[in-house]
Amino acid sequence: MGLLADARSMRDKDPAARTLAEVMLLYPGFHALVFYKVSHWLFRHRRFFLARMVSQWGRGFTGIEIHPGATIGDGLFIDHGAGVVIGETAEIGNNVTLYHGVTLGGTGKDEGKRHPTIEDNVLIGTGCKVLGPIVIGANSRIGANSVVLANIPANATAIGIPARVVRINGNKVLHESEVLNQRDYPDIVRAELSALQKRITQLEERAHEIERGGGEDDFE
């Protein structure tokens, strides 16, 4: 797939896009791909200094930093784009969507493959940090501002810090709205605190019953 096909894909995915010319002339996500394709070609031909120079030009022009060594498939859509960072050994499959502020980075302790692998048809929400040589399975969704430090299976939805899977293969793991819209998803920490508070209340009520002689000393 070439740049024209990438532009068409962006136009089709973005409801705000009116024309193909608008995407090609005004969308930083498209411009970032242009700089990436040039820098990646130079990188593969071992022109490392030139590759990084073109990459840095692209960063300055678009606000999107893509290392020339990253591997990117067809149909990548970087929406808005500001603050997106894609590391050297990151691998991105086909038809992936990244919102602004996404980092596909390293943890600083890995060698060799240091950055994530994002499989086909993945959506990663605003402000997400996906760190280390982990795999985000195909067709998965990562909620806004999540921090992903472990593998996410295919067909899953994950949210939180650190991210946890709340839906997989259409089955709820925790309560979640039917469609991920980056706003209406559950607060996992709050849910766990509520469950803990409920358990404490139950134990306190049981302790009061025992004090009144109304039951055995059993807190199971």
Side-chain angles (χ1 to χ4, degrees):
M1 179 181 284
L3 284 169
L4 184 59
D6 286 330
R8 289 196 180 105
S9 176
M10 293 179 192
R11 179 197 60 191
D12 294 342
K13 290 177 182 178
D14 187 355
R18 296 173 177 83
T19 66
L20 190 61
E22 182 179 11
V23 172
M24 297 181 73
L25 294 175
L26 302 177
Y27 273 48
F30 178 78
H31 301 154
L33 285 182
V34 175
F35 282 102
Y36 162 75
K37 288 181 183 292
V38 174
S39 66
H40 186 62
W41 185 90
L42 291 167
F43 189 88
R44 287 191 295 106
H45 289 81
R46 304 186 64 80
R47 303 295 193 268
F48 299 124
F49 181 85
L50 289 176
R52 287 304 300 269
M53 184 171 67
V54 172
S55 174
Q56 291 304 299
W57 286 346
R59 178 178 182 268
F61 185 69
T62 66
I64 298 167
E65 181 168 349
I66 306 176
H67 193 285
T71 302
I72 298 177
D74 297 331
L76 174 64
F77 177 36
I78 303 176
D79 195 13
H80 300 293
V84 168
V85 177
I86 300 174
E88 179 182 7
T89 61
E91 299 176 54
I92 300 176
N94 300 322
N95 195 38
V96 169
T97 297
L98 306 178
Y99 284 89
H100 55 281
V102 167
T103 297
L104 305 182
T107 63
K109 63 180 182 179
D110 299 297
E111 298 180 359
K113 181 74 165 77
R114 308 185 307 279
H115 303 98
T117 296
I118 312 299
E119 296 186 346
D120 296 347
N121 306 310
V122 169
L123 182 149
I124 302 181
T126 302
C128 287
K129 312 304 175 190
V130 186
L131 305 177
I134 60 177
V135 177
I136 308 299
N139 308 305
S140 291
R141 301 289 182 265
I142 312 298
N145 294 315
S146 298
V147 177
V148 188
L149 301 172
N151 294 339
I152 302 296
N155 305 303
T157 297
I159 60 172
I161 304 174
R164 299 186 186 181
V165 174
V166 295
R167 180 185 292 271
I168 185 168
N169 293 321
N171 298 315
K172 293 180 181 179
V173 179
L174 294 174
H175 175 71
E176 182 197 24
S177 57
E178 287 298 320
V179 179
L180 175 65
N181 60 16
Q182 300 194 76
R183 181 176 63 87
D184 297 323
Y185 52 78
D187 186 334
I188 294 176
V189 174
R190 182 174 181 179
E192 291 186 348
L193 289 175
S194 295
L196 181 60
Q197 182 61 52
K198 182 178 180 180
R199 179 58 175 161
I200 291 172
T201 299
Q202 292 172 343
L203 292 174
E204 288 176 342
E205 291 175 351
R206 185 60 175 161
H208 292 157
E209 289 180 3
I210 293 171
E211 289 176 357
R212 295 194 300 267
E216 298 179 356
D217 188 3
D218 183 2
F219 286 91
E220 294 183 358

